[in-house]
């Protein structure tokens, strides 16, 4: 089979079928946004888990609580975005894509609402849940730092809302007890719950969020701090490592600490972030601080934001031109 070269001038019609310009469909569809896919899958996963939690697993919060939490999250997110867009004289991010605009924009708020309601227990008091959701969503607009050339939030919204709620309502609320996640399941199904969550979270973080290094740093650092506390402070190794076998720990590791919006993107920085949370966790445990997972993550996120502000101010000061003040002698000679 030989190839022939058409020597006609460009644009000159000739016999036979003419080449058809490639259309966007023929050239291939536009690749999907991995950030959107990750958010969508996170929101879908936590929605399914909450549905099973209330129907099969044993969640003890009132059925109306997640619906109220979602309503508050949506309202807070839309209100703050509208105000910020007005102040910055730009179009709100939820406009311009039809119905898909609000849908995509509200996915983070949806995740925050269900996570806060699922991971804290307030008995029959809805107030702390509303407070936690509002704090978590509002933190994205208030606590920002110049990261990679633009202002971005640095506090994990769900974790921040839970942390502040536990601090403010320390005598009224507590974290959801681990038994709630497997209360109505038999022995074999209890094991499967943890395995299913771990598998789904691993696939999600590996394929979409690209936070594998962070998870490795977190799990490895957690094991290391457990052995250190055992060897130096004689802490029971079974108790220190046993936390890793619970469903709450699996949920936290795959769906909380790995938040792509508030964690580093480079593998090395991810590993250091995860390891830092584990080391802060160990230090807080030695200080007998309760609700340690949430406080450790909040401390590391806050330190990261403070670090970004420090770097930004240092670079800004370094690039400012030096102001030359004329000496007294030069000023007198000029006047003369």
């Amino acid at each position: 089979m030989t190839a022939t070269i058409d020597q006609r001038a460009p644009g000159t019609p000739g016999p036979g079928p003419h080449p058809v310009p490639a259309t966007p469909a023929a050239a291939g569809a536009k690749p999907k946004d991995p950030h959107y896919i990750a958010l969508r899958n996170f929101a879908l996963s936590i929605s399914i888990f909450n549905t099973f939690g209330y129907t099969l697993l044993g969640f003890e919060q009132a059925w109306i609580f997640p619906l109220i939490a979602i309503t508050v999250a949506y309202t807070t997110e839309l209100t703050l975005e509208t105000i910020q867009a007005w102040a910055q004289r730009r179009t709100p991010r939820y406009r311009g894509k039809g119905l898909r605009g609000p849908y995509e924009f509200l996915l983070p708020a949806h995740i925050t609402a269900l996570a806060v309601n699922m991971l804290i227990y307030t008995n029959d008091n809805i107030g702390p849940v509303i407070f936690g959701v509002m704090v978590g969503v509002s933190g994205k607009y208030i606590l920002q730092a110049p990261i990679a050339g633009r202002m971005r939030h640095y506090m994990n919204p769900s974790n921040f809302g839970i942390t502040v709620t536990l601090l403010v309502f320390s005598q009224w609320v507590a974290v959801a007890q681990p038994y709630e996640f497997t209360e109505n399941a038999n022995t074999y199904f209890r094991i499967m719950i943890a395995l299913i969550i771990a598998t789904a979270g691993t696939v999600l973080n590996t394929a979409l969020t690209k936070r594998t290094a962070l998870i490795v740093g977190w799990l490895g650092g957690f094991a290391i701090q457990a052995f250190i506390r055992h060897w130096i402070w004689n802490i029971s190794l079974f108790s220190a490592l046993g936390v890793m076998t619970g469903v709450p720990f699996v949920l936290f590791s795959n769906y909380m600490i790995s938040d792509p919006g508030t964690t580093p993107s480079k593998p090395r920085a991810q590993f250091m972030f995860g390891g830092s949370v584990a080391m802060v966790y160990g230090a807080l445990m030695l200080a007998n601080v309760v609700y340690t997972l949430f406080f450790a993550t909040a401390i590391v996120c806050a330190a990261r934001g403070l670090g970004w502000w420090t770097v930004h101010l240092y670079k800004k000061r370094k690039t400012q031109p030096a102001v030359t003040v004329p000496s007294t002698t030069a000023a007198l000679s000029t006047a003369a």
Side-chain angles (χ1 to χ4, degrees), residues 24-64:
K30 182 180 178 181
K32 295 183 178 180
D33 181 8
H35 178 69
Y36 157 71
I37 297 176
L39 282 176
R40 182 198 64 189
N41 289 357
F42 266 115
L44 181 62
S45 298
I46 198 170
S47 299
I48 294 175
F49 188 74
N50 269 264
T51 302
F52 281 116
Y54 278 97
T55 56
L56 299 175
L57 301 182
F59 284 13
E60 297 183 356
Q61 299 91 332
W63 283 70
I64 195 64

CSV table of all heavy atoms in Angstrom, one decimal, residues 24-64:
chain,number,residue,atom,x,y,z
A,24,PRO,N,-15.8,19.7,17.4
A,24,PRO,CA,-15.4,19.4,18.7
A,24,PRO,C,-15.8,18.0,19.2
A,24,PRO,O,-15.1,17.4,19.9
A,24,PRO,CB,-16.3,20.5,19.5
A,24,PRO,CG,-16.5,21.6,18.6
A,24,PRO,CD,-16.6,20.9,17.2
A,25,ALA,N,-16.9,17.5,18.7
A,25,ALA,CA,-17.3,16.1,19.0
A,25,ALA,C,-16.3,15.1,18.5
A,25,ALA,O,-16.0,14.1,19.1
A,25,ALA,CB,-18.7,15.8,18.6
A,26,ALA,N,-15.9,15.4,17.2
A,26,ALA,CA,-15.0,14.5,16.5
A,26,ALA,C,-13.6,14.5,17.2
A,26,ALA,O,-12.9,13.6,17.2
A,26,ALA,CB,-14.9,14.8,15.0
A,27,ALA,N,-13.2,15.8,17.6
A,27,ALA,CA,-11.9,15.9,18.2
A,27,ALA,C,-11.8,15.3,19.6
A,27,ALA,O,-10.8,15.2,20.2
A,27,ALA,CB,-11.5,17.4,18.2
A,28,GLY,N,-13.0,15.0,20.1
A,28,GLY,CA,-13.0,14.4,21.5
A,28,GLY,C,-13.7,15.4,22.4
A,28,GLY,O,-13.5,16.6,22.3
A,29,ALA,N,-14.4,14.8,23.3
A,29,ALA,CA,-15.2,15.7,24.3
A,29,ALA,C,-14.2,16.3,25.3
A,29,ALA,O,-13.1,15.8,25.5
A,29,ALA,CB,-16.2,14.8,25.0
A,30,LYS,N,-14.6,17.5,25.8
A,30,LYS,CA,-13.8,18.2,26.8
A,30,LYS,C,-13.6,17.3,28.0
A,30,LYS,O,-14.6,16.8,28.6
A,30,LYS,CB,-14.5,19.5,27.1
A,30,LYS,CG,-13.7,20.4,28.1
A,30,LYS,CD,-14.5,21.7,28.4
A,30,LYS,CE,-13.7,22.5,29.4
A,30,LYS,NZ,-14.4,23.8,29.7
A,31,PRO,N,-12.4,17.2,28.5
A,31,PRO,CA,-12.2,16.4,29.7
A,31,PRO,C,-13.0,16.9,30.9
A,31,PRO,O,-13.1,18.1,31.1
A,31,PRO,CB,-10.7,16.4,29.9
A,31,PRO,CG,-10.2,17.6,29.2
A,31,PRO,CD,-11.2,17.8,28.0
A,32,LYS,N,-13.5,16.0,31.7
A,32,LYS,CA,-14.3,16.5,32.8
A,32,LYS,C,-13.4,17.0,33.9
A,32,LYS,O,-12.2,16.6,34.1
A,32,LYS,CB,-15.1,15.3,33.4
A,32,LYS,CG,-16.2,14.8,32.4
A,32,LYS,CD,-17.0,13.7,33.0
A,32,LYS,CE,-18.1,13.2,32.1
A,32,LYS,NZ,-18.9,12.2,32.7
A,33,ASP,N,-13.9,17.9,34.7
A,33,ASP,CA,-13.1,18.6,35.8
A,33,ASP,C,-13.0,17.6,36.9
A,33,ASP,O,-14.0,17.2,37.6
A,33,ASP,CB,-13.9,19.8,36.2
A,33,ASP,CG,-13.1,20.5,37.3
A,33,ASP,OD1,-12.0,20.2,37.6
A,33,ASP,OD2,-13.7,21.5,37.9
A,34,PRO,N,-11.8,17.1,37.3
A,34,PRO,CA,-11.6,16.2,38.4
A,34,PRO,C,-12.1,16.7,39.7
A,34,PRO,O,-12.5,16.0,40.6
A,34,PRO,CB,-10.1,15.9,38.4
A,34,PRO,CG,-9.5,17.0,37.7
A,34,PRO,CD,-10.5,17.5,36.7
A,35,HIS,N,-12.0,18.1,39.9
A,35,HIS,CA,-12.4,18.7,41.1
A,35,HIS,C,-13.9,18.5,41.3
A,35,HIS,O,-14.4,18.2,42.4
A,35,HIS,CB,-12.0,20.2,41.2
A,35,HIS,CG,-12.5,20.9,42.4
A,35,HIS,ND1,-11.9,20.6,43.6
A,35,HIS,CD2,-13.4,21.8,42.6
A,35,HIS,CE1,-12.5,21.4,44.5
A,35,HIS,NE2,-13.4,22.2,43.9
A,36,TYR,N,-14.7,18.8,40.2
A,36,TYR,CA,-16.1,18.6,40.3
A,36,TYR,C,-16.5,17.2,40.5
A,36,TYR,O,-17.4,16.9,41.4
A,36,TYR,CB,-16.7,19.1,39.0
A,36,TYR,CG,-18.1,18.5,38.7
A,36,TYR,CD1,-19.2,18.9,39.5
A,36,TYR,CD2,-18.3,17.6,37.7
A,36,TYR,CE1,-20.5,18.3,39.3
A,36,TYR,CE2,-19.5,17.0,37.5
A,36,TYR,CZ,-20.6,17.4,38.3
A,36,TYR,OH,-21.8,16.9,38.1
A,37,ILE,N,-15.8,16.2,39.8
A,37,ILE,CA,-16.1,14.8,40.0
A,37,ILE,C,-15.9,14.4,41.4
A,37,ILE,O,-16.6,13.6,42.0
A,37,ILE,CB,-15.3,14.0,39.0
A,37,ILE,CG1,-15.7,14.3,37.6
A,37,ILE,CG2,-15.6,12.5,39.2
A,37,ILE,CD1,-14.9,13.6,36.5
A,38,ALA,N,-14.8,14.8,42.0
A,38,ALA,CA,-14.4,14.5,43.4
A,38,ALA,C,-15.5,15.0,44.4
A,38,ALA,O,-16.0,14.3,45.2
A,38,ALA,CB,-13.1,15.0,43.8
A,39,LEU,N,-15.9,16.3,44.2
A,39,LEU,CA,-16.9,16.8,45.0
A,39,LEU,C,-18.3,16.1,44.9
A,39,LEU,O,-18.9,15.8,45.9
A,39,LEU,CB,-17.1,18.3,44.7
A,39,LEU,CG,-16.1,19.3,45.2
A,39,LEU,CD1,-16.4,20.7,44.7
A,39,LEU,CD2,-16.1,19.3,46.8
A,40,ARG,N,-18.6,15.8,43.6
A,40,ARG,CA,-19.9,15.1,43.4
A,40,ARG,C,-19.8,13.7,44.1
A,40,ARG,O,-20.8,13.3,44.7
A,40,ARG,CB,-20.1,14.9,41.9
A,40,ARG,CG,-21.4,14.2,41.5
A,40,ARG,CD,-21.3,13.7,40.1
A,40,ARG,NE,-20.2,12.7,39.9
A,40,ARG,CZ,-19.8,12.2,38.7
A,40,ARG,NH1,-20.4,12.7,37.6
A,40,ARG,NH2,-18.9,11.3,38.7
A,41,ASN,N,-18.7,13.0,43.9
A,41,ASN,CA,-18.6,11.7,44.6
A,41,ASN,C,-18.6,11.7,46.1
A,41,ASN,O,-19.2,10.9,46.8
A,41,ASN,CB,-17.4,10.9,44.0
A,41,ASN,CG,-17.6,10.5,42.6
A,41,ASN,OD1,-18.6,10.7,42.0
A,41,ASN,ND2,-16.5,10.0,42.0
A,42,PHE,N,-17.9,12.7,46.6
A,42,PHE,CA,-17.9,12.9,48.1
A,42,PHE,C,-19.4,13.2,48.5
A,42,PHE,O,-19.8,12.6,49.5
A,42,PHE,CB,-17.1,14.1,48.4
A,42,PHE,CG,-15.6,13.8,48.8
A,42,PHE,CD1,-14.6,14.2,48.0
A,42,PHE,CD2,-15.4,13.0,49.9
A,42,PHE,CE1,-13.3,13.9,48.4
A,42,PHE,CE2,-14.1,12.7,50.3
A,42,PHE,CZ,-13.0,13.1,49.5
A,43,ALA,N,-20.1,14.1,47.9
A,43,ALA,CA,-21.4,14.4,48.3
A,43,ALA,C,-22.4,13.2,48.2
A,43,ALA,O,-23.2,12.9,49.0
A,43,ALA,CB,-22.0,15.6,47.4
A,44,LEU,N,-22.2,12.4,47.1
A,44,LEU,CA,-23.0,11.3,46.9
A,44,LEU,C,-22.7,10.2,48.0
A,44,LEU,O,-23.6,9.6,48.5
A,44,LEU,CB,-22.8,10.7,45.5
A,44,LEU,CG,-23.6,9.4,45.1
A,44,LEU,CD1,-25.1,9.8,45.1
A,44,LEU,CD2,-23.1,8.9,43.7
A,45,SER,N,-21.4,10.0,48.3
A,45,SER,CA,-21.0,9.0,49.2
A,45,SER,C,-21.6,9.3,50.6
A,45,SER,O,-22.1,8.5,51.3
A,45,SER,CB,-19.5,8.9,49.3
A,45,SER,OG,-19.0,8.5,48.1
A,46,ILE,N,-21.4,10.6,51.0
A,46,ILE,CA,-21.9,10.9,52.4
A,46,ILE,C,-23.4,11.0,52.5
A,46,ILE,O,-24.0,10.7,53.5
A,46,ILE,CB,-21.3,12.3,52.8
A,46,ILE,CG1,-21.4,12.5,54.3
A,46,ILE,CG2,-22.0,13.5,52.1
A,46,ILE,CD1,-20.6,13.7,54.8
A,47,SER,N,-24.1,11.2,51.4
A,47,SER,CA,-25.5,11.2,51.4
A,47,SER,C,-26.0,9.7,51.5
A,47,SER,O,-26.9,9.5,52.3
A,47,SER,CB,-26.1,11.8,50.1
A,47,SER,OG,-25.7,13.2,49.9
A,48,ILE,N,-25.4,8.8,50.8
A,48,ILE,CA,-25.8,7.4,50.9
A,48,ILE,C,-25.5,6.9,52.3
A,48,ILE,O,-26.3,6.2,52.8
A,48,ILE,CB,-25.0,6.6,49.8
A,48,ILE,CG1,-25.5,7.0,48.4
A,48,ILE,CG2,-25.2,5.1,50.0
A,48,ILE,CD1,-24.7,6.3,47.3
A,49,PHE,N,-24.3,7.3,52.8
A,49,PHE,CA,-24.0,6.8,54.1
A,49,PHE,C,-24.9,7.3,55.2
A,49,PHE,O,-25.3,6.6,56.1
A,49,PHE,CB,-22.5,7.2,54.5
A,49,PHE,CG,-22.0,6.5,55.8
A,49,PHE,CD1,-21.7,5.2,55.8
A,49,PHE,CD2,-21.9,7.3,56.9
A,49,PHE,CE1,-21.2,4.6,57.0
A,49,PHE,CE2,-21.4,6.7,58.1
A,49,PHE,CZ,-21.1,5.4,58.1
A,50,ASN,N,-25.3,8.5,55.1
A,50,ASN,CA,-26.3,9.1,56.0
A,50,ASN,C,-27.7,8.4,55.9
A,50,ASN,O,-28.3,8.1,56.9
A,50,ASN,CB,-26.5,10.6,55.8
A,50,ASN,CG,-25.6,11.4,56.7
A,50,ASN,OD1,-25.9,11.9,57.7
A,50,ASN,ND2,-24.3,11.6,56.2
A,51,THR,N,-28.1,8.0,54.7
A,51,THR,CA,-29.3,7.3,54.4
A,51,THR,C,-29.3,6.0,55.1
A,51,THR,O,-30.2,5.6,55.8
A,51,THR,CB,-29.6,7.2,52.9
A,51,THR,OG1,-29.7,8.5,52.3
A,51,THR,CG2,-30.9,6.5,52.7
A,52,PHE,N,-28.2,5.2,54.9
A,52,PHE,CA,-28.0,3.9,55.5
A,52,PHE,C,-27.9,4.1,57.0
A,52,PHE,O,-28.4,3.2,57.8
A,52,PHE,CB,-26.8,3.2,55.0
A,52,PHE,CG,-27.1,2.5,53.7
A,52,PHE,CD1,-26.4,2.9,52.5
A,52,PHE,CD2,-28.0,1.5,53.5
A,52,PHE,CE1,-26.6,2.3,51.3
A,52,PHE,CE2,-28.2,0.9,52.3
A,52,PHE,CZ,-27.5,1.3,51.2
A,53,GLY,N,-27.3,5.2,57.5
A,53,GLY,CA,-27.1,5.4,58.9
A,53,GLY,C,-28.4,5.5,59.6
A,53,GLY,O,-28.6,5.0,60.7
A,54,TYR,N,-29.3,6.2,59.1
A,54,TYR,CA,-30.6,6.5,59.7
A,54,TYR,C,-31.6,5.3,59.5
A,54,TYR,O,-32.5,5.1,60.4
A,54,TYR,CB,-31.3,7.7,59.2
A,54,TYR,CG,-30.7,9.0,59.8
A,54,TYR,CD1,-29.7,9.7,59.2
A,54,TYR,CD2,-31.2,9.4,61.0
A,54,TYR,CE1,-29.3,10.9,59.7
A,54,TYR,CE2,-30.8,10.6,61.6
A,54,TYR,CZ,-29.8,11.3,60.9
A,54,TYR,OH,-29.3,12.5,61.5
A,55,THR,N,-31.4,4.5,58.5
A,55,THR,CA,-32.3,3.4,58.3
A,55,THR,C,-31.8,2.0,58.8
A,55,THR,O,-32.6,1.2,59.2
A,55,THR,CB,-32.6,3.3,56.8
A,55,THR,OG1,-31.4,3.1,56.0
A,55,THR,CG2,-33.3,4.5,56.3
A,56,LEU,N,-30.5,1.8,58.7
A,56,LEU,CA,-29.9,0.5,59.0
A,56,LEU,C,-28.9,0.5,60.1
A,56,LEU,O,-28.8,-0.5,60.9
A,56,LEU,CB,-29.3,-0.1,57.8
A,56,LEU,CG,-30.3,-0.4,56.6
A,56,LEU,CD1,-29.5,-0.9,55.4
A,56,LEU,CD2,-31.3,-1.4,56.9
A,57,LEU,N,-28.0,1.5,60.2
A,57,LEU,CA,-26.9,1.4,61.1
A,57,LEU,C,-27.1,1.8,62.5
A,57,LEU,O,-26.6,1.2,63.4
A,57,LEU,CB,-25.7,2.3,60.5
A,57,LEU,CG,-25.3,1.9,59.1
A,57,LEU,CD1,-24.1,2.8,58.6
A,57,LEU,CD2,-24.9,0.4,59.0
A,58,GLY,N,-27.9,2.8,62.8
A,58,GLY,CA,-28.2,3.1,64.1
A,58,GLY,C,-27.9,4.6,64.5
A,58,GLY,O,-27.7,4.9,65.7
A,59,PHE,N,-27.9,5.5,63.5
A,59,PHE,CA,-27.8,6.9,63.9
A,59,PHE,C,-28.9,7.4,64.8
A,59,PHE,O,-30.0,7.0,64.6
A,59,PHE,CB,-27.8,7.8,62.6
A,59,PHE,CG,-26.6,7.7,61.8
A,59,PHE,CD1,-25.6,6.8,62.0
A,59,PHE,CD2,-26.4,8.6,60.8
A,59,PHE,CE1,-24.4,6.7,61.2
A,59,PHE,CE2,-25.2,8.6,60.0
A,59,PHE,CZ,-24.2,7.7,60.2
A,60,GLU,N,-28.5,8.1,65.9
A,60,GLU,CA,-29.5,8.5,66.9
A,60,GLU,C,-29.9,9.9,66.8
A,60,GLU,O,-30.8,10.3,67.6
A,60,GLU,CB,-28.8,8.2,68.3
A,60,GLU,CG,-28.5,6.7,68.5
A,60,GLU,CD,-28.0,6.5,69.9
A,60,GLU,OE1,-27.8,7.4,70.6
A,60,GLU,OE2,-27.7,5.3,70.2
A,61,GLN,N,-29.4,10.7,65.9
A,61,GLN,CA,-29.9,12.0,65.7
A,61,GLN,C,-31.3,12.0,65.1
A,61,GLN,O,-31.7,11.0,64.4
A,61,GLN,CB,-29.0,12.9,64.8
A,61,GLN,CG,-27.6,13.0,65.4
A,61,GLN,CD,-26.6,11.9,64.9
A,61,GLN,OE1,-27.1,10.8,64.6
A,61,GLN,NE2,-25.4,12.3,64.8
A,62,ALA,N,-32.1,13.0,65.3
A,62,ALA,CA,-33.4,13.1,64.7
A,62,ALA,C,-33.4,13.1,63.2
A,62,ALA,O,-32.4,13.7,62.6
A,62,ALA,CB,-34.2,14.3,65.3
A,63,TRP,N,-34.3,12.6,62.6
A,63,TRP,CA,-34.4,12.5,61.1
A,63,TRP,C,-34.4,13.9,60.5
A,63,TRP,O,-33.9,14.1,59.4
A,63,TRP,CB,-35.6,11.7,60.7
A,63,TRP,CG,-35.5,10.3,60.8
A,63,TRP,CD1,-35.5,9.5,61.9
A,63,TRP,CD2,-35.4,9.3,59.7
A,63,TRP,NE1,-35.4,8.2,61.7
A,63,TRP,CE2,-35.3,8.0,60.3
A,63,TRP,CE3,-35.4,9.4,58.3
A,63,TRP,CZ2,-35.2,6.8,59.6
A,63,TRP,CZ3,-35.3,8.2,57.6
A,63,TRP,CH2,-35.2,7.0,58.2
A,64,ILE,N,-35.0,14.8,61.2
A,64,ILE,CA,-35.1,16.2,60.6
A,64,ILE,C,-33.8,16.9,60.6
A,64,ILE,O,-33.6,17.9,59.9
A,64,ILE,CB,-36.2,17.0,61.3
A,64,ILE,CG1,-36.6,18.2,60.6
A,64,ILE,CG2,-35.7,17.4,62.7
A,64,ILE,CD1,-37.3,17.9,59.2
